[in-house]
Amino acid sequence: RKEVEQDPGPFNVPEGATVAFNCTYSNSASQSFFWYRQDCRKEPKLLMSVYSSGNEDGRFTAQLNRASQYISLLIRDSKLSDSATYLCAVIYSGNTPLVFGKGTRLSVIA
Amino acid sequence: DTAVSQTPKYLVTQMGNDKSIKCEQNLGHDTMYWYKQDSKKFLKIMFSYNNKELIINETVPNRFSPKSPDKAHLNLHINSLELGDSAVYFCASSQIRTSGRHQYFGPGTRLTVT
């Protein structure tokens, strides 16, 4: 089983749609969780951290389910500018680096 | 000001050559990383340095040698380049002792080996 797995996509959705991505992780001792966004031919950029109680940033909502070992990202009212690849990332502990999923590609269509 | 910078941005070279990629961060972070993103877009850790000390060395051929002259710099030297080394290499940095610990990435170096 891969360490971090994501829906591969692509997700093609119309503007204004709500779209959700899921990501599962295999290490139950994982401590920190993140969603990154990567535009074509660009570097990954932090979209939001994921907290145990769930958190929201504008149209974006992230949730963590430790029991089932998954995190999710919900995007409401999709914009054309949301088109990108969304990567979930997990830190196990201490000085360990991020472990990324393979990413989910989102295309928002006019 | 660019937080994490890499040079060069593009690198085209022939098999068998030796090349270096440089990375600098001006965020005052204590930890720096090298990631490789292959043609399938999978982003994988190669090395991690904390306060100039190597702490993570994933299964990477020993043709790849990182060097950290100080906390703000982490360079990657690659010997005897092979076709399979073609990828985008990202440098990143983070501050381990903060609660966030997320990483800031450089713009990437697109390496093409012909």
Side-chain angles (χ1 to χ4, degrees):
Chain A
R1 183 181 173 187
K2 293 191 175 66
E3 294 179 271
V4 178
E5 292 197 72
Q6 292 184 243
D7 295 338
F11 283 61
N12 299 315
V13 302
E15 274 186 290
T18 296
V19 61
F21 306 137
N22 288 324
C23 170
T24 58
Y25 58 94
S26 61
N27 189 330
S28 59
S30 299
Q31 293 185 348
S32 302
F33 309 88
F34 308 93
W35 282 102
Y36 278 75
R37 170 190 169 133
Q38 186 172 23
D39 292 292
C40 188
R41 302 179 78 85
K42 297 285 189 181
E43 73 272 23
K45 291 185 178 176
L46 180 70
L47 179 65
M48 57 197 303
S49 301
V50 186
Y51 302 120
S52 296
S53 55
N55 48 298
E56 188 174 307
D57 182 2
R59 297 181 293 107
F60 299 85
T61 301
Q63 292 194 311
L64 167 64
N65 185 320
R66 284 192 185 272
S68 300
Q69 295 181 206
Y70 78 83
I71 62 174
S72 63
L73 177 68
L74 183 77
I75 305 175
R76 290 182 298 278
D77 189 22
S78 299
K79 311 289 184 193
L80 293 176
S81 57
D82 293 334
S83 297
T85 296
Y86 291 83
L87 300 156
C88 71
V90 172
I91 290 179
Y92 295 147
S93 65
N95 291 339
T96 59
L98 289 169
V99 178
F100 283 91
K102 287 192 174 182
T104 300
R105 187 168 173 191
L106 172 66
S107 291
V108 181
I109 304 160
Chain B
D1 279 347
T2 304
V4 183
S5 59
Q6 293 178 231
T7 54
K9 194 166 182 182
Y10 298 95
L11 186 53
V12 181
T13 188
Q14 291 183 326
M15 283 175 58
N17 284 349
D18 303 338
K19 291 293 178 186
S20 291
I21 307 171
K22 296 187 175 181
C23 177
E24 177 181 1
Q25 55 96 2
N26 62 7
L27 297 166
H29 287 166
D30 60 5
T31 305
M32 295 183 73
Y33 312 84
W34 278 110
Y35 286 86
K36 178 180 179 180
Q37 189 168 44
D38 59 26
S39 57
K40 295 182 180 177
K41 308 299 182 189
F42 185 43
L43 196 60
K44 192 166 182 209
I45 184 70
M46 298 175 70
F47 301 102
S48 173
Y49 269 75
N50 177 259
N51 286 318
K52 300 195 303 174
E53 186 178 333
L54 180 66
I55 55 172
I56 298 276
N57 182 355
E58 292 293 314
T59 307
V60 175
N62 57 16
R63 299 182 293 104
F64 291 78
S65 52
K67 282 191 171 52
S68 182
D70 56 57
K71 282 195 331 180
H73 295 85
L74 180 61
N75 303 324
L76 183 65
H77 187 76
I78 315 170
N79 288 327
S80 303
L81 279 155
E82 300 177 357
L83 292 176
D85 297 333
S86 296
V88 182
Y89 292 84
F90 287 103
C91 176
S93 73
S94 69
Q95 183 67 20
I96 290 294
R97 285 180 174 72
T98 60
S99 59
R101 287 194 291 172
H102 63 266
Q103 294 171 17
Y104 294 80
F105 283 80
T109 296
R110 188 170 295 272
L111 171 65
T112 303
V113 182
T114 61

